[in-house]
Amino acid sequence: MASNAVRAQVTAKWQDSFARLNRSEPGISGLMAFSDAWTLATEFLKPRDLNDLKPRHQYDMRRVRMAFDTINKCRRLPVMMEVFLEDLHNSQHLIAREVESHMNLYSEKSDPEIVRALIFRLVEWYNAWKPPAELGQTIISAYTLSFQTHLFSILPASFARGVKSLVAATLLGTVSLSSDQRDGALWHAFDMLSLIERYETLIASVGYEYIESHVHETCAGAWSAPMLHKLRSWMLEKIVPWMIWPFARGATNAEEAKTMMQGVGSRFEFHMHKTLCDLRTKEIFDIIVDFPDSVPALNDLKECLQRVDQRAELVQSLRRANRKRLLHPGADTKDILLQYVSTIKCLRIVDPPGVLLFKVADPIRRYLRERPDTIRCIVASLVGDGESGDSLIDDNEPIHPLQQPEVENYADPEWTPEPVDAGPDFRANKTSDIISTLVSIYDSKDLFIKELQVLLAQRLLALKDGNLDRERRNVEILKIRFGESALQVCEVMLRDMTDSRRIDQHVQSQKPNVMHPTIISRHFWPALEVSDMVMPGQFQDLQEQYAKEFSAFKPDKVLRWHPHLGRIQLELELDDRTVEADVPPLEAAFIELFSEKNTWTVDELMARVGTVTRSAALKALGTWVDMRLLKEDSENVFRLLSVAGDVTEDTTPKLAIGGEDLPPVISVQQQQAEQMRVYWKFIEGMLTNLGSLGLDRIQAMLKLAPGYDRTIEQLANFMEAAKREGLVTVKDGLWKLGK
């Protein structure tokens, strides 16, 4: 029963197929016509070898179209297409042979023109095997997909390199306005073979690399002019015309091309911004050094960071550069402060909220806090006492009070949240001026106030013309910054200087005196150098006369002299010459004693002037020996040279002159160094008798001296000071006397 049913089903299908192929024609005439049409169509579609020199058979296209129409009516066109694709697959070796030949030649010569020729040849193969358009787009699409699939399967890895070099050649030709006329046909061939879709990333990489090369060539080290606008113009003039070929093919007008290139154009522009951002990130330390000439580069960097999220890379790059080139013992504190100030100004341009500055500045602030002379450098800049031409403060910058950290007011309608990359310790306060930022390195401003007082006292006591205008202006500015209450002591110091001049004028009007002392209030001035020195002879008389007149004018006050401070202008009348000198008081006291007798010992001189260290006495006497007014006849015995003819060749000074005079207002470190000078003779004797010694050995032996209670760190500071004066040298940790 089942076999009869199957037989009936097969018979029905056979009858149906025969009727479809025979098309109701009498007999089998329709079937014969289908057979002829099938033979003609398959022969027409069969792939041929382009390298076969035999002429191709010429087909009557009318008959071919009729054959395809017959096959289509018989609904056998899909079957015929399968046969055609199978023939296509079996003929791929013909294309593979040509690809291999061209790529072997390219591997030898690396000439992109060989790849160009191969692509055009592949287009010839594609067109030669392509079915006629009458078969419909479906069959042509199937053919194209099959051809490309087989083609991509036989292309070697070197073909991608060849395509890249060929695309680069087309880009260079477009940029240099010398593009080959074949470039249009080449991109059409790329499109026909779908090479653009397959190698889109590679084609884009050619543009990326060329942009990188151009940015580095034109922008590296060029900080004084804005570069982004020039780069955008260059992209529009040079890169966009080339981009039209691969990325806007088929566009009929400019608007359509713009729409088609919108995505890839954004990627190219992003890459241009990223490349410039990377370059400026690497150069950021030198850009800051070159500030303010590098402001255009900073503005470019700011705009790039808005397009490229590389803020973290910028912070890390600058922190690495600071550690390597700035935050080390070889850098001067003033240079570190100058770079820090420039960093503040630069990063405020790049990132106004201050997040980048907060992250970069923290290591610099911690390092400056550890340096002992940071406060003095900042204060010196505040009062305009910088020795170099560079200043931490811009004279054109408005003067503001020191700004304190503020608590955020969330009720403020203009309140904005902190940036997303701000750390937990960041506070988005108002932008502080430079001085407020520098002072905030330390937790308290009291350190700056004390240093200001010391520095102002030194400057006031060093005045020779009595002009206080500059100091008054500085104090008024500082009062704005630190507040009036913090500068009250400085006000008293200025008032003392004014009162001192007024008192001196009154005293001089009552009884003229060649002495013009500076009278200050003991309780309001920083500690001065203390000494029990007594001025001898006429100096003592002048002091007493002045004190008497002062007491008559100010009966409720008493003068306490500091005779060791100040300068004295002398006119020395000798037998054959007159010598003018401007010397410290101790030198004047010694030369005054030589008016009593011509020969003195050092001990006698020291006994006459009070408590004076031997080193200070020898230094003072050495001044007159250098001026050929005294001669050391024997050790510690000096004679006055009343006649210049007494000077002989052997009067070369035997004394080592110390360093510059210390300022009258001394710091704690200077006081400790002065106290250590008492023990210099012990150290000198050790190094003379025992040769080179280490610091530990010197410290151990000094502990045997009466009253010595210094630490080894204080001894090290003193030895360093002695080395700067040339008294000692050190090598491999061993100290010895200088030559």
Side-chain angles (χ1 to χ4, degrees):
M1 187 70 179
S3 59
N4 292 333
V6 171
R7 189 179 299 110
Q9 186 178 12
V10 171
T11 302
K13 289 185 177 181
W14 171 258
Q15 293 295 335
D16 179 68
S17 298
F18 178 79
R20 186 170 63 250
L21 295 178
N22 199 45
R23 290 170 292 138
S24 302
E25 295 288 334
I28 61 171
S29 59
L31 183 62
M32 295 301 295
F34 171 78
S35 177
D36 293 338
W38 180 272
T39 302
L40 177 61
T42 53
E43 285 294 329
F44 177 78
L45 290 178
K46 186 175 182 179
R48 64 186 182 89
D49 186 359
L50 295 182
N51 295 315
D52 189 355
L53 301 180
K54 292 187 297 182
R56 183 184 180 186
H57 178 71
Q58 298 297 322
Y59 292 92
D60 184 353
M61 294 306 299
R62 185 181 62 82
R63 289 187 60 210
V64 171
R65 283 192 290 271
M66 290 177 60
F68 279 111
D69 185 60
T70 298
I71 296 173
N72 187 35
K73 289 178 179 179
C74 296
R75 293 184 292 178
R76 306 308 292 167
L77 198 59
V79 178
M80 188 197 67
M81 194 62 196
E82 291 179 5
V83 174
F84 168 65
L85 294 179
E86 182 65 25
D87 291 342
L88 188 67
H89 176 72
N90 294 332
S91 302
Q92 285 297 322
H93 67 280
L94 301 175
I95 299 179
R97 183 175 58 197
E98 292 223 13
V99 170
E100 181 181 5
S101 173
H102 281 79
M103 294 314 299
N104 288 338
L105 187 60
Y106 173 75
S107 298
E108 294 177 4
K109 299 184 178 181
S110 298
D111 185 0
E113 291 300 319
I114 298 175
V115 180
R116 185 196 296 265
L118 173 59
I119 292 174
F120 285 138
R121 184 61 173 172
L122 291 174
V123 170
E124 292 181 19
W125 285 100
Y126 173 81
N127 290 329
W129 292 356
K130 183 178 179 181
E134 290 82 353
L135 294 183
Q137 189 61 37
T138 302
I139 294 179
I140 294 178
S141 298
Y143 160 75
T144 301
L145 178 61
S146 178
F147 183 88
Q148 293 173 356
T149 301
H150 291 303
L151 173 63
F152 295 155
S153 67
I154 62 177
L155 290 177
S158 58
F159 183 75
R161 295 194 300 271
V163 168
K164 186 173 182 179
S165 63
L166 180 59
V167 171
T170 65
L171 173 58
L172 291 175
T174 303
V175 170
S176 62
L177 301 179
S178 60
S179 58
D180 196 323
Q181 294 180 353
R182 296 177 298 165
D183 286 351
L186 175 66
W187 287 112
H188 180 70
F190 268 97
D191 186 26
M192 186 178 297
L193 299 175
S194 293
L195 294 177
I196 294 180
E197 289 82 358
R198 181 173 180 82
Y199 296 107
E200 182 177 5
T201 302
L202 184 144
I203 294 171
S205 71
V206 172
Y208 293 154
E209 292 174 5
Y210 190 76
I211 290 173
E212 291 175 9
S213 174
H214 179 77
V215 170
H216 283 89
E217 288 178 3
T218 58
C219 300
W223 309 321
S224 58
M227 303 303 296
L228 267 180
H229 178 72
K230 296 180 180 178
L231 289 175
R232 291 193 183 104
S233 299
W234 173 79
M235 290 272 293
L236 188 62
E237 296 173 3
K238 304 297 184 180
I239 302 299
V240 171
W242 172 79
M243 291 170 57
I244 293 175
W245 290 110
F247 303 114
R249 55 192 182 278
T252 57
N253 54 60
E255 286 300 322
E256 187 177 354
K258 183 178 180 181
T259 302
M260 296 175 68
M261 291 194 302
Q262 185 173 3
V264 68
S266 298
R267 294 196 295 272
F268 271 61
E269 187 178 9
F270 175 86
H271 191 76
M272 182 265 290
H273 283 86
K274 183 180 184 302
T275 303
L276 183 61
C277 187
D278 290 340
L279 178 62
R280 292 295 182 247
T281 298
K282 293 178 182 178
E283 300 174 331
I284 185 62
F285 187 90
D286 295 307
I287 290 175
I288 293 174
V289 171
D290 202 44
F291 182 85
D293 294 338
S294 59
V295 169
L298 295 170
N299 289 324
D300 285 346
L301 179 59
K302 176 183 178 180
E303 190 171 347
C304 288
L305 287 176
Q306 293 173 351
R307 294 287 305 273
V308 184
D309 186 16
Q310 294 192 178
R311 294 162 61 89
E313 288 79 358
L314 177 64
V315 171
Q316 293 301 322
S317 175
L318 186 51
R319 290 181 67 153
R320 283 195 301 269
N322 285 338
R323 284 196 301 269
K324 181 179 180 181
R325 302 175 59 180
L326 188 68
L327 305 182
H328 56 78
D332 186 72
T333 302
K334 180 68 176 294
D335 294 334
I336 298 176
L337 284 169
L338 285 171
Q339 183 71 0
Y340 178 41
V341 170
S342 296
T343 300
I344 294 172
K345 295 178 179 178
C346 291
L347 293 186
R348 282 179 178 173
I349 294 174
V350 175
D351 177 42
V355 176
L356 299 184
L357 176 60
F358 178 80
K359 295 180 178 180
V360 170
D362 184 59
I364 304 177
R365 293 167 65 86
R366 283 190 277 107
Y367 186 81
L368 286 172
R369 201 177 298 127
E370 297 171 356
R371 284 227 170 182
D373 57 339
T374 298
I375 295 178
R376 174 163 286 271
C377 288
I378 297 174
V379 171
S381 183
L382 280 175
V383 298
D385 197 35
E387 296 179 358
S388 67
D390 297 324
S391 176
L392 300 178
I393 308 172
D394 186 357
D395 294 335
N396 298 323
E397 184 175 315
I399 302 170
H400 300 290
L402 293 181
Q403 299 177 6
Q404 302 298 327
E406 300 177 358
V407 178
E408 287 190 281
N409 181 13
Y410 298 104
D412 185 357
E414 297 183 359
W415 176 87
T416 55
E418 295 175 355
V420 293
D421 58 341
D425 298 330
F426 175 76
R427 291 295 178 268
N429 295 326
K430 295 180 180 178
T431 302
S432 302
D433 65 347
I434 297 299
I435 294 302
S436 297
T437 305
L438 293 177
V439 172
S440 67
I441 292 175
Y442 298 88
D443 297 331
S444 173
K445 66 179 181 181
D446 294 340
L447 296 171
F448 289 89
I449 300 301
K450 292 178 181 178
E451 192 65 42
L452 275 170
Q453 294 170 1
V454 171
L455 189 58
L456 179 62
Q458 292 177 352
R459 291 168 63 90
L460 291 177
L461 295 179
L463 287 177
K464 295 183 179 181
D465 57 359
N467 188 353
L468 302 175
D469 293 342
R470 181 181 179 186
E471 310 310 325
R472 282 200 180 93
R473 178 181 177 276
N474 287 334
V475 170
E476 290 300 321
I477 293 175
L478 294 173
K479 283 166 64 176
I480 298 176
R481 295 190 184 278
F482 292 92
E484 292 195 14
S485 60
L487 273 296
Q488 285 181 351
V489 172
C490 295
E491 285 281 1
V492 173
M493 294 163 63
L494 284 174
R495 188 163 58 249
D496 282 350
M497 295 298 293
T498 303
D499 293 344
S500 175
R501 187 166 54 180
R502 179 173 54 83
I503 293 171
D504 184 61
Q505 290 174 352
H506 175 79
V507 171
Q508 299 294 342
S509 66
Q510 298 300 315
K511 187 174 183 179
N513 194 317
V514 296
M515 179 179 292
H516 299 278
T518 299
I519 304 171
I520 63 176
S521 303
R522 178 168 61 92
H523 296 291
F524 292 94
W525 283 66
L528 304 179
E529 287 188 54
V530 179
S531 174
D532 295 330
M533 191 182 84
V534 178
M535 296 298 290
Q538 59 178 323
F539 298 116
Q540 182 68 31
D541 296 338
L542 291 172
Q543 287 181 358
E544 293 175 354
Q545 293 173 11
Y546 198 96
K548 182 179 179 181
E549 293 298 329
F550 176 82
S551 298
F553 182 56
K554 297 280 187 178
D556 58 332
K557 290 182 171 54
V558 178
L559 286 180
R560 180 181 176 184
W561 295 93
H562 288 268
H564 61 291
L565 301 179
R567 305 287 294 185
I568 298 178
Q569 294 181 352
L570 299 176
E571 184 176 312
L572 306 176
E573 295 183 356
L574 302 171
D575 292 346
D576 61 342
R577 65 195 186 281
T578 299
V579 178
E580 293 183 356
D582 184 359
V583 294
L586 183 58
E587 279 85 337
F590 282 165
I591 203 65
E592 167 67 15
L593 292 174
F594 277 92
S595 64
E596 300 178 8
K597 63 177 184 178
N598 289 345
T599 303
W600 291 79
T601 65
V602 174
D603 292 335
E604 291 173 341
L605 291 170
M606 292 173 60
R608 287 292 301 273
V609 299
T611 305
V612 178
T613 63
R614 178 171 290 273
S615 60
L618 292 174
K619 177 183 175 183
L621 291 169
T623 300
W624 298 117
V625 171
D626 287 343
M627 297 178 66
R628 301 298 191 265
L629 293 178
L630 296 181
K631 177 183 178 182
E632 187 178 11
D633 288 336
S634 60
E635 186 176 1
N636 295 330
V637 178
F638 292 85
R639 175 170 58 87
L640 178 67
L641 299 175
S642 301
V643 180
D646 295 341
V647 181
T648 58
E649 293 298 327
D650 60 349
T651 59
T652 301
K654 302 177 182 179
L655 301 175
I657 305 301
E660 297 180 356
D661 294 336
L662 293 175
V665 184
I666 60 175
S667 63
V668 176
Q669 293 85 354
Q670 290 173 326
Q671 292 178 8
Q672 293 175 346
E674 281 299 309
Q675 292 168 357
M676 280 295 298
R677 291 184 183 274
V678 176
Y679 301 99
W680 167 245
K681 281 298 178 183
F682 292 94
I683 299 173
E684 187 178 27
M686 294 179 208
L687 299 180
T688 301
N689 297 323
L690 302 178
S692 301
L693 295 176
L695 205 59
D696 294 338
R697 181 80 182 279
I698 297 174
Q699 174 76 353
M701 298 180 69
L702 280 176
K703 287 184 177 179
L704 302 176
Y708 182 79
D709 59 353
R710 301 294 182 265
T711 64
I712 192 169
E713 289 79 13
Q714 292 172 331
L715 174 62
N717 292 334
F718 173 75
M719 296 298 288
E720 287 293 337
K723 186 180 76 170
R724 288 193 295 270
E725 295 181 2
L727 300 177
V728 293
T729 59
V730 60
K731 183 178 181 181
D732 298 330
L734 298 178
W735 297 85
K736 65 178 181 179
L737 290 175
K739 297 181 181 179

